[in-house]
Amino acid sequence: MTPTITAFERSPDRGQGLARDTRVRWALEEVGQPYDVRLVSFSEMKEPAHLALHPFGQIPTYEEGDLALFETGAIVLHIAERHAGLLSEDANARARAISWMFAALNTVEPPILDRETTRLLERDEAWYDQRMPGVEDRIRNRLGQLSARLGDSDWLDGAFSAGDLMMVAVLLRLKASSGMLDEYPNISAYVARGEARPAYKRAFDAQLAVFTAASTGS
Amino acid sequence: MTPTITAFERSPDRGQGLARDTRVRWALEEVGQPYDVRLVSFSEMKEPAHLALHPFGQIPTYEEGDLALFETGAIVLHIAERHAGLLSEDANARARAISWMFAALNTVEPPILDRETTRLLERDEAWYDQRMPGVEDRIRNRLGQLSARLGDSDWLDGAFSAGDLMMVAVLLRLKASSGMLDEYPNISAYVARGEARPAYKRAFDAQLAVFTAASTGS
């Protein structure tokens, strides 16, 4: 059965691939699972039909027969558990990859999102220039720890996994709006390895096509 | 094999149960799995031996034979997948419970943590009183959506699950430092149902005993 995901009708990042549907598209491309996309507008996201799928009124969602899921992490994990390609056959390696998925979303992404929220909502506040260095220091703290663990390895724990997919996706968010990744050459190279994967490229192109069509269409 | 988790030698919350080892203790108590605890000091958490277990120098960690995990979400999921009591037998219900785990950690907790970080690091800044209302509005936005979905139900998706465990644990963090939960009677009652579970009480008492011993010991 072909799953259906939701994505922004018009992505606020203008097709940079930072909206979270790209992460799900990437996972589906890695495992070779075709999918359908239903585009939703910002007003539709707050309506009862979408809230029934996603209680917090966001994208992406994932529908497959009777199953409806929300939260990017849960969707990627669901895909990774049901197809080969994103989690090892070895039970311990699978569990460690899931640790990295949670680490990407819960430990590395929060300070990055704090920076984005600050830029979006507080740019015109008197405190902006004073507050931002502390926010960025919290990001650097995480990047330093990640860089130390990654070392010279290609991926975080042996073969590419759903943990790497999520970590690279989180770091791409920072790359798009900051030069901070350049301070950590091994992390920059790690992100570049992720972006070079054919499955990532297909996912990126697919989300960009939606934005381009919306921008040039009627 | 009895797993070993790590916890703060002296919890910064003074035994209120907000440190993340409580979430893992709660999961282990729900499934009836005995466990050992290794206490670590703040300086030990930054040393190579602990960083080998947890790249970001935090607690809890989870060791079981050859397996070493970090990230509370990943540890609770690992426990839930290997024992009965925290995830349904039904595959779709399991996947939905995992959606709620991620929602607790990635959608509900971040604004709550932002409020805590702000209180901790920005209380003496000139902008504190101006900035805090916006931070709290972001929490209320999530609580309103959660309240609407929960409605009159006891738990988020039928029977109590790992999703409820994580959501209640996240909300307890807010309850400890704010009266905001009182604005949402169904959420307050939901949290109270979680706290009333015997497994939660055992987990809470176990972490409190560590703090009490550290405070009264030599």
Side-chain angles (χ1 to χ4, degrees), chain A residues 46 51-58 66-71 73-74 77-78 81-82 91-92 95-96 98-103 105-108 114 117-118 121-122 125 127 130-131 138 142 145-146 149 167, chain B residues 46 51-58 66-71 73-74 77-78 81-82 91-92 95-96 98-103 105-108 114 117-118 121-122 125 127 130-131 138 142 145-146 149 167:
Chain A
K46 307 306 173 195
L51 288 171
L53 282 174
H54 197 313
F56 301 100
Q58 299 176 321
D66 289 341
L67 177 64
L69 297 179
F70 63 104
E71 285 286 333
L77 181 58
H78 176 81
E81 284 182 333
R82 278 153 191 79
N92 284 1
R96 288 195 304 269
I98 294 170
S99 278
W100 282 111
M101 284 186 67
F102 278 97
L105 294 170
N106 293 312
T107 298
V108 177
D114 187 17
T117 303
T118 302
L121 301 181
E122 300 178 17
E125 302 289 355
W127 64 74
Q130 267 186 284
R131 185 168 175 269
R138 292 198 285 273
R142 294 304 181 213
Q145 292 164 322
L146 180 67
R149 170 55 72 100
M167 190 65 80
Chain B
K46 307 305 173 195
L51 288 171
L53 282 174
H54 197 313
F56 301 100
Q58 299 177 322
D66 290 341
L67 177 64
L69 297 179
F70 64 103
E71 285 287 333
L77 181 59
H78 176 81
E81 284 182 332
R82 278 153 189 80
N92 285 0
R96 288 195 302 271
I98 294 169
S99 278
W100 282 111
M101 284 185 69
F102 278 97
L105 294 169
N106 291 312
T107 298
V108 177
D114 187 17
T117 303
T118 302
L121 302 180
E122 301 178 15
E125 301 290 354
W127 63 74
Q130 269 184 282
R131 186 170 174 270
R138 293 198 284 274
R142 293 306 181 211
Q145 292 164 321
L146 181 67
R149 169 56 72 103
M167 189 66 80

